[in-house]
Amino acid sequence: MKTANALFLSQGSGGAMNAADIVVSLLILGIIVVSLLSNVVVLICFLYNSEIRRQVPGLFILNLTFCNLLQSVSNMPLTLVGLVTSGHPGGSDFCQIVGFLDTFLTTNSMLSMAALSIDRWVAVVFPLSYHSRIRHRDALIVLGYTWIHSICFSTVATCSSWLGYNHLYASCTLCNVRAKTAGKQFIVFTVALHCLTFLLTLIVMCVTYLKVLKVARSHCKRIDVITMQTLVLLVDIHPSIRQKCLEEQKQRRQRATNKISTFIGTFVVCFTPYVITRIVELFSPGPINPHWGVFSKCLAYSKAASDPFVYSLLRHQYRKTCNLLANKILKRSPLNSSSFRVENKARTTAVTPIQPSISNHQLTNHSPNEGKHI
């Protein structure tokens, strides 16, 4: 830690940033811009589309969007200022507030992802009883737990004076220097925090999404059998049509796997380096490279920029809402707008309920009329 502090002090006295700091600063700036724009779009879609507001997952996505937006306007800019100035951004009390927000928002966003995975698991594994199992009241209870869980850990850290400016991460967060007198208490608190947030969320996501993937693959196998039987019966079918059916069959098998990999993969890639660095920091006898510490923090921040695309903007409802909003902004003629609505309504009602499959549309959307999906 002394080496890290000396590096930052020498950088500040030199008055110039090295290449690594410039790259990381630009990375944080890009994350802030993308996170703000994408999360604001999600929030606008939620407020504009009443169908999204009626759905239970919309509450979890709204909570996740709130955490991401607040982190984008509080913690991320201060980390950027800390990198540019190579110093403490603000006073001690101000840093305590920012550190409280850092712990609260990170914990809350992780638990919101766990709640979304449970919702998708119930929707796919128990589609007929989904509305009786997951209601708005149940979602509010789950969100209440995520807030209480996050506030408790943040309050303990604040009351114990374990929050401060950590030069390793260039941000106001849990600080080993301020907690050195606490000894084992701080170690137990840090390990418990990451086990009950990161590890718990990871386990829940792996269990639920793997169950969903199992159901999706069983549906795909059923469709593959029907497809192959049809191709055998249609002896006069054109070779190009037969090839297209086989390609769609292959894509169908990969679709669910790709989506599950995205949900779990982005969580692991963004949060694992930061959590491991936190744990290693507790027991490492030597200092950790400050550039790695800041980079791991940037990866954790990048989750706020990727969440809108992973959970919202790539789904059919949000894309449709964005198109409608774009038409209004561009002031297109009412005829084009009305024809767009008719086209999307016809596309929605054209989905047949007897096909025993989980299509790409189902894998990316929650709607009473459009089935249950991942």
Side-chain angles (χ1 to χ4, degrees):
M1 184 60 66
K2 290 181 179 179
T3 304
N5 292 341
L7 190 149
F8 275 92
L9 290 175
S10 63
Q11 182 197 65
S13 59
M17 298 175 62
N18 56 41
D21 291 323
I22 294 175
V23 171
V24 174
S25 299
L26 293 176
L27 178 61
I28 294 179
L29 182 61
I31 292 173
I32 292 174
V33 173
V34 174
S35 179
L36 281 174
L37 293 177
S38 58
N39 283 285
V40 166
V41 171
V42 173
L43 183 60
I44 293 174
C45 290
F46 180 86
L47 297 175
Y48 181 81
N49 193 322
S50 59
E51 186 178 356
I52 295 177
R53 293 197 302 271
R54 287 196 300 267
Q55 297 169 7
V56 173
L59 297 177
F60 299 134
I61 293 176
L62 178 64
N63 187 66
L64 184 60
T65 302
F66 166 78
C67 294
N68 292 337
L69 277 175
L70 195 55
Q71 196 169 52
S72 301
V73 299
S74 59
N75 301 90
M76 295 185 195
L78 289 176
T79 300
L80 180 60
V81 172
L83 275 175
V84 173
T85 62
S86 303
H88 193 301
S92 178
D93 294 337
F94 177 72
C95 202
Q96 288 274 332
I97 297 174
V98 176
F100 179 92
L101 286 175
D102 180 74
T103 306
F104 170 79
L105 295 174
T106 303
T107 304
N108 200 343
S109 62
M110 287 186 184
L111 295 177
S112 297
M113 297 171 206
L116 279 168
S117 68
I118 294 175
D119 176 82
R120 284 179 167 86
W121 169 66
V122 176
V124 172
V125 179
F126 308 101
L128 299 179
S129 59
Y130 170 76
H131 289 291
S132 61
R133 290 173 181 266
I134 304 293
R135 294 166 292 182
H136 280 81
R137 183 184 64 183
D138 303 318
L140 291 175
I141 293 174
V142 173
L143 289 178
Y145 169 75
T146 64
W147 277 67
I148 293 173
H149 182 112
S150 305
I151 288 175
C152 286
F153 275 102
S154 304
T155 303
V156 170
T158 303
C159 294
S160 302
S161 299
W162 293 341
L163 298 173
Y165 186 74
N166 195 328
H167 287 276
L168 178 60
Y169 308 102
S171 59
C172 296
T173 181
L174 291 173
C175 187
N176 284 6
V177 175
R178 295 181 64 89
K180 60 183 179 181
T181 58
K184 292 183 178 179
Q185 293 181 357
F186 180 73
I187 295 176
V188 171
F189 172 82
T190 305
V191 172
L193 171 64
H194 295 304
C195 286
L196 295 177
T197 53
F198 171 79
L199 186 58
L200 176 64
T201 301
L202 181 60
I203 292 174
V204 170
M205 291 179 69
C206 289
V207 172
T208 53
Y209 282 135
L210 289 179
K211 291 284 187 181
V212 169
L213 183 60
K214 183 179 179 181
V215 174
R217 283 181 173 176
S218 66
H219 283 293
C220 288
K221 288 181 180 179
R222 205 177 310 169
I223 298 172
D224 292 344
V225 171
I226 297 174
T227 303
M228 294 307 298
Q229 291 176 348
T230 304
L231 292 177
V232 170
L233 292 175
L234 298 176
V235 293
D236 296 332
I237 190 172
H238 194 274
S240 62
I241 299 178
R242 182 187 298 271
Q243 183 63 28
K244 184 177 180 180
C245 291
L246 294 175
E247 290 177 357
E248 290 180 354
Q249 179 178 322
K250 182 179 179 180
Q251 292 176 359
R252 193 184 303 115
R253 288 195 297 265
Q254 292 294 328
R255 200 170 291 139
T257 303
N258 293 339
K259 291 183 180 297
I260 297 300
S261 300
T262 302
F263 291 139
I264 300 178
T266 53
F267 180 84
V268 172
V269 170
C270 293
F271 285 122
T272 301
Y274 178 70
V275 173
I276 292 178
T277 305
R278 276 292 190 183
I279 301 299
V280 171
E281 185 186 7
L282 295 174
F283 305 101
S284 176
I288 299 175
N289 191 316
H291 295 308
W292 168 253
V294 175
F295 179 72
S296 65
K297 190 67 175 177
C298 289
L299 286 177
Y301 285 154
S302 67
K303 194 68 173 73
S306 64
D307 283 341
F309 300 98
V310 173
Y311 292 102
S312 304
L313 296 180
L314 297 181
R315 289 170 52 186
H316 175 72
Q317 282 183 314
Y318 284 87
R319 286 189 283 112
K320 182 176 70 173
T321 305
C322 289
N323 287 332
L324 291 174
L325 290 172
N327 290 336
K328 280 196 170 185
I329 294 175
L330 297 176
K331 296 181 180 179
R332 293 182 179 177
S333 64
L335 179 61
N336 293 338
S337 180
S338 61
S339 63
F340 178 83
R341 293 191 183 94
V342 171
E343 179 185 351
N344 280 278
K345 185 176 180 181
R347 186 188 309 165
T348 302
T349 56
V351 177
T352 174
I354 62 174
Q355 183 179 0
S357 66
I358 297 181
S359 63
N360 182 42
H361 184 68
Q362 290 174 309
L363 291 173
T364 56
N365 209 357
H366 261 308
S367 174
N369 298 325
E370 297 167 353
K372 307 301 181 292
H373 35 74
I374 297 177

